[in-house]
């Protein structure tokens, strides 16, 4: 390939990988549903992306590093405290008994559907044991099942990836090498990976604890130790690097000796990049003509896994652990295949080809199982969770934070208008005195504790539902702290600041005759009217909510009042709002003297 062709290929891999995940989140579907078809389009169809020619022999080492980093991040997000007895037993059963059932029934299904030798059927079934956090995580975000279902599925998806890959390596080594007893190698790989991961975690924690890591390098230092763990493991034993990555993430994420924000910071940006690149690259390797030949067998195999294998695994592994039947059904209806299956299938197909073993079914079958299982589970999981009545509310709430005396009145008006709202106020004594009269969630603790995702209580559960944040303060330092608490979850455009410390900023923009550049953004929602609203409130003004029956027929607000926000019939904010005639079920939050 020429330099321009390589540059175009790299640009498409990175650009499509990011853009399609952005699009997928916008339309609320798992990104892999778009990434794999796009990779096939720019790869075998248009011939614009040829990974083997672009990367050469470095392709699969790059894939291994990428998968390892994703597992490192997944392990970091696992919390030991979430492992209540029933959860830990369910996870243990899923990655032991569940793996054996999936492997046995999968092998039998492949033998019947494809009519291939037993050892090749076992190889394909080993690869299809895995699921993976890159597909389970996004689906759970949309389905929002109640706990402990989410914890069980995430723990399983992260732990099972290196187990499935190691099973595949063991079977492959039996096929292409004279080693007749590869199973002990799996346990050696596991132990090696765990030891390397613990050492890497210890080195990273020591570096952070020494205070010699500059804050701006913390993310890169975490990335460095993660790469060291993965590379060291892979150089010693194939797939040991994946166990090392999970172990390092798990240890660092659950220790309390040193801050570990570095892993979180680098993973937030690099995870979508890695996912996008890997899926586009691997999909570009697929031969579409061969996939067409195996379409019908793949559909049968997917039916077996979705309708028989996984339900059996879900019901058997959760039996007698105190789970409700609806939770057991949902666990038995969630096993999409992900990036590890795609990566191992691509690597194994080349290894088999080099060894003179003919198994053309491998890649097309694995990729079609990935596409179909992600599509089935991704589209059905949110519906199933709602039907089973185990779905948590989505992001449809708002929080009001600040130190102004009228903050409770604002929250009351929003509650009257049908909003799901939480009041966060530092005046604990005042809130306690009126708590019995407050029909909504309140929080008077520290913002640092509210930002801690490891705490599980009503305010923290509510915080995860927040779609809008109103900061009511004249103190810029407090506003900054509040913003930092929610900025990762919301972004700046979902934060409304109502306070006088913005007055100078407004004067600079407006006094020089400039356009009202901020008026169409939530952050500058109130423009020149902000001072008038605050003036009303300083003179003893109050917040209220008016509906269609109390609004003037021509729209607007009653005389002597100022409009503040518009609340739609579903309880969500319309930002920026307007004072046009209200529809049935809509409200205007107003400020009156």
């Amino acid at each position: 390939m020429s330099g321009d062709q390589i540059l175009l290929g790299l640009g498409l891999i990175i650009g499509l990988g990011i853009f399609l995940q952005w699009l997928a989140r916008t339309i609320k579907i798992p990104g892999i549903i778009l990434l794999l078809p796009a990779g096939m389009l720019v790869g075998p169809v248009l011939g614009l992306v040829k990974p083997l020619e672009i990367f050469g022999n470095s392709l699969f080492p790059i894939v291994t590093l990428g998968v390892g980093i994703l597992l490192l991040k997944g392990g970091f997000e696992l919390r030991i405290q979430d492992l209540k007895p029933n959860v830990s037993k369910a996870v243990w059963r899923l990655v032991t008994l569940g793996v054996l059932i999936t492997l046995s029934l999968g092998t039998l299904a492949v033998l019947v559907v494809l009519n291939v030798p037993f050892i090749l059927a076992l190889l394909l079934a080993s690869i299809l044991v895995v699921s993976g956090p890159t597909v389970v995580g996004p689906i759970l975000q949309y389905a929002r099942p109640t706990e402990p279902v989410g914890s069980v599925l995430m723990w399983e998806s992260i732990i099972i990836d290196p187990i499935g890959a190691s099973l595949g390596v063991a079977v492959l080594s039996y096929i292409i090498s004279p080693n007749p007893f590869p199973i002990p190698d799996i346990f050696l790989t596991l132990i090696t990976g765990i030891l390397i991961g613990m050492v890497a975690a210890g080195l990273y924690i020591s570096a952070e604890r020494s205070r010699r890591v500059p804050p701006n390098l913390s993310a890169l230092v975490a990335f460095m130790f993660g790469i060291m763990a993965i590379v060291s493991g892979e150089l010693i034993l194939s797939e040991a690097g994946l166990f090392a990555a999970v172990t390092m993430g798990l240890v660092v994420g659950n220790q309390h000796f040193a801050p570990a924000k570095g892993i979180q910071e680098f993973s937030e940006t690099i995870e979508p990049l890695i996912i996008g690149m890997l899926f586009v690259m691997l999909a570009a390797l697929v031969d579409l003509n061969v996939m067409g030949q195996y379409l019908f067998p793949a559909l049968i195999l997917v039916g077996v896994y979705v309708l028989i294998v996984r339900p059996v695994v879900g019901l058997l592994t959760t039996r007698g652990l105190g789970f409700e039947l609806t939770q057991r059904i949902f666990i038995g209806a969630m096993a999409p295949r992900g990036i590890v299956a795609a990566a191992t299938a691509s690597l194994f197909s080349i290894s088999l080809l080099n060894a003179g073993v003919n198994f053309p079914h491998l890649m097309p079958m694995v990729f079609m199982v990935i596409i179909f299982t992600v599509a089935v589970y991704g589209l059905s999981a949110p519906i199933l969770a709602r039907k089973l009545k185990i779905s948590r509310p989505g992001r449809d709430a708002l929080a009001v934070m600040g130190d102004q005396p009228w903050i409770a009145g604002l929250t009351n008006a929003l509650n009257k208008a049908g909003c799901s709202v939480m009041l966060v106020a530092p005046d604990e004594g005042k809130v306690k005195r009126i708590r019995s009269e407050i029909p909504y969630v309140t929080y008077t603790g520290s913002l640092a504790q509210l930002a801690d995702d490891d705490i599980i209580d009503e305010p923290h559960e509510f915080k995860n539902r927040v779609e809008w944040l109103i900061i009511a303060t004249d103190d810029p330092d407090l506003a900054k702290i509040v913003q930092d608490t929610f900025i990762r979850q919301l972004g700046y455009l979902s934060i409304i600041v109502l306070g006088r410390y913005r007055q100078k900023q407004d004067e600079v923009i407006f006094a020089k005759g400039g356009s009202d550049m901020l008026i169409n953004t939530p952050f500058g929602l109130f423009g020149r009217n902000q001072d008038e609203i605050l003036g009303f409130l300083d003179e003893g003004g109050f917040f209220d909510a008016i509906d269609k029956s109390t609004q003037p027929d021509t729209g607007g607000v009653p005389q002597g009042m100022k409009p503040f926000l518009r609340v739609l019939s579903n309880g969500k904010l319309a930002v920026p709002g307007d004072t046009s005639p209200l529809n049935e079920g809509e409200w205007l939050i107003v400020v009156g003297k």
Side-chain angles (χ1 to χ4, degrees):
M1 297 181 71
S2 67
D4 288 345
Q5 290 175 315
I6 292 175
L7 185 61
L8 175 61
L10 287 172
L12 286 172
I13 290 171
I14 296 172
L16 285 174
I18 297 173
F19 171 72
L20 292 176
Q21 289 182 86
W22 176 20
L23 178 61
R25 292 189 184 184
T26 302
I27 61 179
K28 296 185 177 181
I29 62 172
I32 190 175
I33 294 179
L34 301 179
L35 290 170
L36 287 181
M40 295 174 190
L41 177 64
V42 297
V45 175
L46 300 178
L48 300 175
V49 174
K50 300 178 180 178
L52 284 173
E53 295 186 32
I54 293 174
F55 297 100
N57 293 333
S58 63
L59 174 61
F60 290 105
I62 290 174
V63 170
T64 299
L65 288 175
V67 172
I69 291 298
L70 295 178
L71 291 178
L72 169 64
K73 185 258 186 183
F76 177 76
E77 292 183 342
L78 296 177
R79 293 293 177 264
I80 299 295
Q81 64 188 29
D82 293 339
L83 279 178
K84 298 177 176 62
N86 61 335
V87 175
S88 60
K89 289 179 181 178
V91 172
W92 174 250
R93 289 182 185 179
L94 283 167
V95 299
T96 52
L97 177 62
V99 166
L100 291 176
I101 294 173
T102 304
L103 182 62
S104 302
L105 295 181
T107 302
L108 179 61
V110 173
L111 283 171
V112 173
V113 172
L114 296 181
N115 191 27
V116 295
F118 172 80
I119 193 64
L120 296 181
L122 183 63
L123 178 65
L124 178 54
S126 299
I127 295 173
L128 294 178
V129 161
V130 303
S131 57
T134 57
V135 285
V136 171
I139 293 175
L140 291 179
Q141 288 179 3
Y142 298 128
R144 303 185 305 277
T146 54
E147 291 298 340
V149 174
S151 295
V152 169
L153 291 171
M154 280 306 296
W155 274 89
E156 179 203 12
S157 69
I158 292 169
I159 295 174
I160 206 171
D161 266 1
I163 291 176
S166 298
L167 278 173
V169 169
V171 177
L172 182 69
S173 67
Y174 181 84
I175 295 173
I176 64 178
S177 71
N179 182 8
F181 303 107
I183 298 301
D185 290 346
I186 296 178
F187 296 99
L188 183 59
T189 301
L190 171 66
I191 298 300
T192 301
I194 290 175
L195 291 176
I196 291 174
M198 294 178 67
V199 170
L203 292 174
Y204 172 66
I205 294 168
S206 299
E208 288 284 4
R209 191 173 174 81
S210 70
R211 296 190 233 177
R212 293 180 180 177
V213 179
N216 63 328
L217 287 180
S218 180
L220 291 177
V221 170
F223 184 73
M224 176 193 73
F225 279 109
I227 293 294
M228 288 172 54
I230 298 166
V231 171
S232 300
E234 291 297 319
L235 289 177
I236 297 173
L237 286 171
S238 181
E239 310 306 328
L242 301 186
F243 284 110
V246 174
T247 303
M248 178 182 169
L250 186 63
V251 172
V252 173
N254 287 275
Q255 54 84 34
H256 301 286
F257 298 104
K261 294 296 182 183
I263 292 179
Q264 183 175 348
E265 290 172 1
F266 86 73
S267 64
E268 285 176 354
T269 300
I270 203 171
E271 180 189 27
L273 176 62
I274 292 175
I275 291 174
M277 290 182 63
L278 290 183
F279 276 120
V280 171
M281 286 192 305
L282 294 174
L285 296 173
V286 176
D287 187 336
L288 292 183
N289 293 325
V290 177
M291 285 188 69
Q293 297 175 19
Y294 296 109
L295 177 61
F296 185 66
L299 289 173
I300 296 177
L301 194 61
V302 168
V304 171
Y305 274 111
V306 172
L307 300 177
I308 299 176
V309 177
R310 184 61 185 187
V312 169
V313 169
L315 291 174
L316 287 180
T317 56
T318 56
R319 184 180 179 183
L321 297 181
F323 288 92
E324 297 177 4
L325 179 60
T326 53
Q327 295 174 326
R328 296 174 65 195
I329 291 173
F330 190 85
I331 291 173
M334 178 60 64
R337 271 58 180 178
I339 191 68
V340 171
T344 51
S346 302
L347 178 61
F348 289 1
S349 64
I350 294 176
S351 300
L352 290 172
L353 190 62
N354 293 336
V357 179
N358 185 31
F359 191 25
H361 317 65
L362 185 61
M363 275 190 65
M365 289 296 292
V366 169
F367 272 82
M368 283 191 285
V369 169
I370 291 172
I371 294 172
F372 292 137
T373 56
V374 170
V376 168
Y377 292 126
L379 297 176
S380 66
I383 299 172
L384 181 62
R386 288 194 297 270
K387 292 293 185 181
L388 295 174
K389 297 182 179 180
I390 62 169
S391 179
R392 292 180 286 108
R395 285 184 56 194
D396 56 356
L398 64 99
V400 181
M401 291 185 172
D403 54 8
Q404 297 296 330
W406 38 261
I407 190 172
L410 169 59
T411 314
N412 288 335
L414 290 165
N415 179 70
K416 177 182 176 181
C419 293
S420 296
V421 62
M422 175 171 69
L423 171 63
V424 180
D427 190 351
E428 183 174 358
K430 181 179 179 180
V431 171
K432 277 187 175 180
R433 288 193 298 273
I434 63 173
R435 193 185 297 275
S436 61
E437 306 169 15
I438 295 177
Y440 42 78
V441 179
T442 60
Y443 181 79
T444 56
S446 71
L447 292 177
Q449 284 187 331
L450 187 61
D452 189 349
D453 293 329
D454 291 341
I455 299 176
I456 301 176
D457 57 19
E458 187 179 23
H460 285 80
E461 288 287 336
F462 192 97
K463 188 194 78 165
N464 294 328
R465 295 174 49 199
V466 170
E467 183 180 22
W468 289 97
L469 169 66
I470 300 175
I471 303 175
T473 181
D474 293 333
D475 183 351
D477 294 329
L478 177 59
K480 180 65 167 60
I481 294 172
V482 174
Q483 287 176 7
D484 291 344
T485 302
F486 277 84
I487 196 64
R488 286 181 54 247
Q489 177 178 339
L490 300 179
Y492 284 108
L493 294 182
S494 294
I495 297 176
I496 299 170
V497 181
L498 183 63
R500 291 194 180 279
Y501 81 92
R502 288 188 63 249
Q503 185 174 5
K504 290 185 178 180
Q505 180 189 38
D506 289 343
E507 287 175 355
V508 170
I509 294 172
F510 303 138
K512 295 180 180 179
S515 64
D516 232 353
M517 67 174 68
L518 296 180
I519 198 65
N520 290 322
T521 67
F523 198 82
L525 173 69
F526 311 111
R528 293 186 175 92
N529 294 330
Q530 180 171 188
D531 288 338
E532 294 182 43
I533 293 172
L534 292 170
F536 271 37
L537 295 168
D538 289 344
E539 295 170 7
F542 63 92
F543 283 98
D544 197 5
I546 63 171
D547 60 7
K548 185 177 181 180
S549 64
T550 51
Q551 185 190 36
D553 293 338
T554 57
V557 296
Q559 188 175 2
M561 290 186 171
K562 283 286 182 183
F564 186 67
L565 291 172
R566 189 181 184 109
V567 181
L568 302 179
S569 57
N570 58 4
K572 293 190 175 186
L573 296 186
V575 180
D578 60 66
T579 57
S580 60
L582 293 166
N583 299 315
E584 193 67 36
E586 293 186 341
W587 296 75
L588 272 178
I589 307 299
V590 296
V591 184
K593 287 189 178 180

